[in-house]
Amino acid sequence: MHILYKKLPIGLCYFEIFKDKSEARQREKSLKALSCARLSSLIKSKSGTGFSCHKEGEKTVICLKNGVYNLTGAILVKGENIEIRGDKGTIIQGCAKIDGWIDEGNGVFSASTEYDADALYINGEKYQMARFPKYNPSIKIFGGFSRDVLSKVKAQEWKNPYGAYIHAMHLHNWGGYSYEVTGKDEDGNLTYIGGWQNNRQMGMHSDFKYIENVREEMTEPGEWYFDKKNKRVYAILKSGHDLNTAE
């Protein structure tokens, strides 16, 4: 029994189960356009000890051994009667550790990453993506909202809002919309794309909206921002968090 692992150009991955290596190699030759790698190149273990494969009757079992594994891509398992399981204590998480943090001054630290970051956890605590208005858990709608999100005056405070996200309720609160900010036009108004999430295209609610991932809105400990163009994460650390020892 042999596992052939393939990483597709579009970023997906899959496994095929073969009876022997020769059969797997023949399959590999027929897929020359695909880049080959081992399972361990996709699952970057922080403390895990790898994986094993065995048969249980007609079923093939791929077992991740005890530890923490960070997935760096999607996995598609192809075949019949295949099961992926973990030992007791095995944790699979869709994240990547960020190293090489630099002190930018004024409590701000930054580090580069090869991935598009949409969440940041330090020592198991989730940091708040820098947003306007500030997040307030006591406010039911979005944790805070403002009609000034699309204000030209407010946009003047943001040097380069590229990569920010606008989230808004539907005009009549029938669901909502999300948009990605592409920059500002010659008049200083925000430009953005998106809003395809709702089939009743009647526009954004005049009040119920907020914007996140704006560099200038990162002002308090526990907030972070992702520079999409340069793939760099910025954060203001919470009290007691040390990036030299943080997980």
Side-chain angles (χ1 to χ4, degrees), residues 32-209:
K32 291 182 179 180
L34 303 179
S35 58
C36 301
R38 289 176 56 82
L39 173 62
S40 56
S41 69
L42 174 73
I43 301 179
K44 295 181 178 178
S45 173
K46 183 165 59 175
S47 60
T49 55
F51 70 99
S52 62
C53 185
H54 65 274
K55 295 286 287 187
E56 292 183 1
E58 296 298 317
K59 179 170 59 179
T60 299
V61 177
I62 301 173
C63 185
L64 294 177
K65 298 181 180 180
N66 184 48
V68 179
Y69 299 83
N70 295 328
L71 289 183
T72 59
I75 299 177
L76 173 63
V77 178
K78 182 179 180 181
E80 296 182 357
N81 296 324
I82 301 173
E83 177 183 328
I84 296 181
R85 68 172 66 147
D87 290 337
K88 184 177 180 180
T90 296
I91 298 175
I92 301 176
Q93 53 191 22
C95 63
K97 185 177 180 180
I98 300 177
D99 295 310
W101 290 88
I102 296 174
D103 188 345
E104 300 281 354
N106 297 319
V108 177
F109 291 80
S110 74
S112 61
T113 175
E114 61 181 303
Y115 307 104
D116 285 341
D118 58 9
L120 178 66
Y121 290 82
I122 297 180
N123 285 349
E125 295 185 38
K126 184 178 181 179
Y127 273 48
Q128 175 65 57
M129 182 175 276
R131 53 169 280 175
F132 170 79
K134 296 290 188 185
Y135 178 72
N136 184 340
S138 67
I139 300 177
K140 183 177 181 180
I141 300 176
F142 291 143
F145 53 86
S146 174
R147 63 170 50 219
D148 291 333
V149 165
L150 298 181
S151 165
K152 178 179 176 179
V153 175
K154 184 62 180 177
Q156 291 177 350
E157 300 177 12
W158 305 328
K159 181 178 179 180
N160 181 14
Y162 170 76
Y165 300 98
I166 298 170
H167 304 283
M169 293 297 293
H170 183 277
L171 178 64
H172 298 298
N173 292 328
W174 298 334
Y177 308 97
S178 291
Y179 304 83
E180 182 176 357
V181 177
T182 57
K184 291 190 282 188
D185 62 21
E186 58 185 12
D187 295 323
N189 297 300
L190 291 180
T191 57
Y192 46 86
I193 58 174
W196 307 293
Q197 300 85 358
N198 198 306
N199 66 347
R200 298 177 178 181
Q201 292 292 325
M202 300 178 67
M204 293 185 243
H205 195 283
S206 58
D207 292 317
F208 300 153
K209 49 184 171 280

